[in-house]
């Protein structure tokens, strides 16, 4: 099968980008149907950055600078947050397009080049998160940006060039992709960088490694000019801090089920059998690299909320492009080309639901009826064009553990289990967590702390209350708290929700707070929260 015509492929990819973004921008705002808490997280970080703060240096986050900087740039130019998010999606697509174009154009036959190129751009620009019954959301956009670039990089690593090899260009493209991934989400960089080096070494393309490293150093140098050299130390510190936290070491299934549980086993089997068939047909390098990609793909899936195995999309393209020549047989007498073609078709069948789910995000968003929505944060003009479903925003539901001593079903409690409750100022806090209505709960909490005469530390996973109170964020506090008390030294009060967005995060925060050299004096209480004034040793 012949290569794609370069000019037609470029025009096609540009048309896909316009199709993916046009309906979303024409809607005149962003209308969310799920993950409002994540939208508040995005809003919190973007507004901090638009005000001049930098991630890692001014607040803790495991996510890279480029996860939010494109949005913050547009906000800084006076655009509303909703439009800034959509423009950042467009910018991400425009930056990724030439990289995707090179990878699919030099590695894939024309049909696969068109299909995978379109799939990568649709994933990057989607307004959905790829789960069953996909909602419209801006949550976890950085995961989609990473997946789209990972699709392109996997082709460059696994497959040899269809035409004349250009290792230096490949090194430059892969170096740029890896640099972008390092500054979006480190997970993708960590799994890809070793495979890139292995691939170039196996093909004897050491000059490609040199170019790749030089490209990375240039990007690192440019970033350092804007952030300062301590940025990288702070970034690594944040990654280590979050990875060692007990609150959320991984956001879904453990690693082993990502490989062998029913939703993933077929994809794993296809990849392993495909790799072995390629090696038996003489494509030993491609087969080995594909085999090495199986745990790499699984690790990215393991680290992403929802655990969607989007890697079946490039898997189908890799198998299609690597099919052996007709007539080649395995030692068992199988037609290798036919067997690999069958595996490619199976992988494509697994990939179709993912592409459909993500690719239809913009159209799904465009067809939403805005009458059932309200602004996420109506009193904050910069955020007024991000909307959420009114019913979801204001229907607050909570869940609590009732199998504990003194509650509804104490006789069912395990006497061997450590039932010591988490306490604050010596008082036990109930195991209660919000399940819906995060936006409504946040509005009530923000109103309750608005009259306090000093900065407030929120003992919960979210601390975006400042967006509603027209105040500054607590210096040093984490927009998404994984169980630490960063920022407590600049706070005058601690606000402890009775029902937290994340009870696990709140409890970890309270355990750390109990060991801090502070004294807490209760100054307010209601069924929703307890507020404490902080007294430090030097204050007395």
């Amino acid at each position: 099968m012949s290569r794609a015509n370069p000019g037609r492929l470029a025009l096609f990819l540009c048309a896909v980008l316009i199709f993916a973004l046009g309906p979303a921008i024409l809607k005149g705002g962003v209308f969310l149907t799920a993950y409002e808490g994540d939208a508040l997280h995005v809003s919190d970080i973007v507004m901090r950055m638009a005000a001049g703060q930098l991630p890692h240096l001014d607040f803790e986050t495991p996510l890279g600078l480029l996860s939010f900087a494109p949005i913050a740039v547009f906000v800084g130019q006076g655009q509303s947050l909703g439009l800034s998010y959509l423009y950042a999606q467009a910018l991400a697509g425009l930056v990724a397009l030439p990289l995707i174009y090179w990878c699919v154009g030099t590695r894939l036959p024309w049909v696969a080049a068109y299909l995978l190129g379109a799939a990568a751009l649709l994933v990057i620009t989607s307004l959905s998160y790829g789960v069953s019954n996909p909602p419209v959301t801006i949550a976890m956009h950085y995961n989609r940006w990473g997946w789209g670039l990972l699709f392109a990089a996997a082709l460059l690593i696994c497959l040899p060039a269809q035409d004349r090899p250009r290792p230096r260009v490949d090194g430059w493209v892969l170096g740029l992709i890896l640099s972008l991934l390092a500054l979006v989400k480190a997970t993708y960089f960590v799994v890809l960088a070793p495979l890139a080096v292995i691939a170039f070494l196996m093909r004897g393309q050491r000059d490609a490694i040199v170019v790749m490293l030089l490209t990375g150093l240039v990007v690192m140098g440019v970033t350092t000019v804007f952030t300062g050299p301590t940025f990288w130390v702070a970034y690594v510190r944040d990654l280590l801090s979050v990875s060692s936290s007990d609150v959320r070491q991984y956001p879904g299934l453990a690693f082993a089920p990502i490989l062998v549980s029913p939703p993933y086993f077929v994809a794993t089997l296809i990849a392993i059998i495909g790799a072995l068939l390629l090696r038996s047909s003489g494509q030993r390098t491609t087969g080995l690299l594909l085999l090495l990609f199986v745990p790499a793909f699984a690790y990215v899936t393991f680290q992403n909320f929802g655990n969607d195995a989007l890697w079946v999309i490039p898997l189908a393209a890799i198998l299609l492009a690597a099919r052996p020549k007709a007539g080649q047989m395995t030692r068992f007498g199988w037609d290798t080309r036919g067997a690999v073609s069958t595996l490619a078709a199976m992988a494509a069948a697994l990939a179709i639901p993912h592409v459909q789910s993500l690719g239809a995000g913009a159209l799904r968003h465009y067809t939403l009826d805005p009458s059932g929505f309200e602004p996420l944060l109506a009193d904050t003009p910069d955020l007024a064009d991000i909307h959420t479903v009114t019913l979801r925003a204001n229907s607050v539901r909570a869940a609590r553990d009732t199998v504990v001593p003194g509650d509804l079903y104490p006789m069912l409690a395990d006497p061997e289990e450590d039932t010591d409750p988490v306490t604050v100022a010596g008082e036990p806090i109930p195991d209660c967590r919000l399940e819906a209505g995060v936006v409504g709960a946040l509005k009530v909490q923000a109103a309750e702390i608005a009259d306090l005469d000093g900065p407030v530390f929120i003992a919960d996973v979210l601390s975006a209350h400042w967006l509603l109170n027209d105040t500054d964020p607590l210096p040093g506090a984490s927009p998404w708290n994984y169980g630490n008390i960063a920022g407590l030294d600049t706070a005058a009060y601690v606000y402890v929700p009775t029902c937290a967005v994340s009870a696990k995060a709140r409890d970890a925060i309270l355990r750390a707070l109990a060991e801090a050299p502070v004294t807490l004096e209760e100054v307010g209480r209601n069924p929703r929260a307890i507020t404490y004034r902080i007294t430090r040793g030097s204050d007395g």
Side-chain angles (χ1 to χ4, degrees):
M1 193 178 293
S2 61
R3 286 182 56 195
N5 179 278
R8 292 176 183 172
L9 178 61
L11 289 174
F12 173 77
L13 294 179
C14 290
V16 170
L17 196 58
I18 294 170
F19 166 79
L21 292 165
I25 294 174
L26 291 174
K27 187 71 174 179
V30 176
F31 294 81
L32 310 176
T33 62
Y35 302 132
E36 295 88 354
D38 290 85
L40 291 168
H41 171 226
V42 172
S43 303
D44 189 344
I45 291 182
V46 168
M47 299 310 292
R48 290 177 190 235
M49 293 182 66
Q53 293 191 17
L54 284 174
H56 319 306
L57 295 175
D58 296 306
F59 55 87
E60 181 187 80
T61 175
L63 299 168
L65 175 70
L66 291 185
S67 288
F68 303 97
I71 313 172
V73 167
F74 289 109
V75 171
Q77 296 301 311
Q79 296 293 335
S80 59
L81 182 59
L83 281 178
S84 295
Y85 176 82
L86 296 175
Y87 294 156
Q89 291 268 88
L91 182 60
L94 286 171
V95 170
L97 193 150
L99 303 174
I100 294 169
Y101 169 81
W102 175 261
C103 295
V104 301
T106 60
R107 260 55 182 186
L108 298 178
W110 73 272
V111 172
Y114 277 76
L115 292 177
L116 187 69
L121 289 175
L122 289 173
V123 168
I124 288 171
T125 57
S126 178
L127 278 174
S128 286
Y129 193 71
V131 293
S132 58
N133 191 24
V136 175
T137 179
I138 65 173
M140 298 161 285
H141 62 278
Y142 38 83
N143 287 343
R144 294 186 288 95
W145 292 0
W147 272 122
L149 291 172
L150 178 61
F151 291 179
L155 301 181
L156 216 57
I157 292 172
C158 281
L159 297 171
Q162 284 199 315
D163 203 345
R164 178 172 60 89
R166 297 177 177 84
R168 293 182 181 179
V169 180
D170 290 344
W172 177 80
V173 170
L174 203 48
L176 191 53
I177 289 175
L178 288 171
S179 299
L180 293 173
L181 290 175
L183 289 170
V184 170
K185 188 174 180 180
T187 300
Y188 295 89
F189 172 82
V190 168
V191 300
L192 276 180
L195 292 176
V197 173
I198 291 171
F200 285 136
L201 286 175
M202 292 182 70
R203 296 191 180 107
Q205 297 174 336
R206 288 174 173 77
D207 51 346
I209 298 177
V210 173
V211 173
M212 183 176 67
L213 293 175
L214 289 176
T215 303
L217 289 173
V218 169
V219 173
M220 186 177 179
V222 172
T223 305
T224 304
V225 168
F226 289 99
T227 63
T230 57
F231 170 83
W232 302 102
V233 177
Y235 189 7
V236 173
R237 180 196 63 214
D238 283 359
L239 291 171
L240 293 175
S241 173
V242 172
S243 65
S244 62
S245 168
D246 293 330
V247 173
R248 198 180 185 184
Q249 294 181 332
Y250 49 90
L253 295 174
F255 181 71
I258 295 296
L259 286 168
V260 298
S261 64
Y264 309 99
F265 180 68
V266 172
T268 302
L269 204 58
I270 289 172
I272 292 175
I273 294 174
L276 295 177
L277 287 173
L278 291 176
R279 285 181 61 79
S280 70
S281 67
Q283 299 186 67
R284 302 186 64 82
T285 297
T286 298
L288 178 59
L289 290 170
L290 180 56
L291 201 59
L292 293 175
F293 253 110
V294 174
F297 283 142
Y299 185 75
V300 173
T301 305
F302 156 77
Q303 281 286 303
N304 286 354
F305 175 81
N307 299 141
D308 270 8
L310 299 184
W311 60 273
V312 295
I313 300 173
L315 174 63
I318 291 169
L319 290 173
L320 180 65
R323 289 179 304 167
K325 295 179 180 179
Q328 285 193 311
M329 310 294 286
T330 69
R331 68 180 66 179
F332 304 108
W334 299 346
D335 175 7
T336 310
R337 181 178 178 85
V340 174
S341 298
T342 300
L343 292 173
M346 293 171 65
L350 294 176
I352 289 172
H354 294 292
V355 177
Q356 186 272 335
S357 171
L358 292 164
L363 293 177
R364 195 178 297 118
H365 175 256
Y366 187 73
T367 58
L368 289 173
D369 181 2
S371 62
F373 289 76
E374 65 177 39
L376 183 71
L377 299 174
D379 297 329
T380 309
D382 290 336
L383 309 181
D385 65 339
I386 296 183
H387 304 80
T388 184
V389 178
T390 301
L391 187 62
R392 281 183 58 88
N394 300 311
S395 298
V396 182
R397 293 199 311 271
R400 63 188 176 94
D401 186 3
T402 57
V403 184
V404 293
D407 216 307
L408 296 180
Y409 300 98
M411 67 290 295
L412 300 179
D414 184 355
E416 300 298 325
E417 186 178 332
D418 181 9
T419 56
D420 290 342
V422 176
T423 62
V424 56
E427 179 176 353
I429 297 296
D431 179 14
C432 183
R433 57 204 173 276
L434 291 174
E435 292 195 330
V438 172
V439 175
L442 188 80
K443 291 177 180 177
V444 173
Q445 293 172 2
E448 291 176 353
I449 65 178
D451 295 332
L452 295 174
D453 58 359
V456 182
F457 178 87
I458 308 296
D460 202 352
V461 69
L462 286 174
S463 58
H465 302 67
W466 67 276
L467 293 171
L468 293 94
N469 291 339
D470 194 25
T471 58
D472 294 326
L474 181 67
S478 304
W480 192 276
N481 194 317
Y482 290 89
N484 62 55
I485 53 173
L488 182 70
D489 56 340
T490 62
Y493 296 91
V494 173
Y495 182 87
V496 182
T498 308
C499 280
V501 176
S502 170
K504 195 172 183 180
R506 182 201 58 189
D507 293 350
I509 291 168
L510 294 182
R511 291 189 186 98
L513 185 62
E515 299 178 3
V518 298
T519 302
L520 302 180
E521 176 191 357
E522 183 180 325
V523 295
R525 174 188 293 257
N526 58 48
R528 295 172 295 278
I530 310 173
T531 305
Y532 299 91
R533 180 184 288 112
I534 300 173
T535 303
R536 297 176 176 86
S538 59
D539 295 343

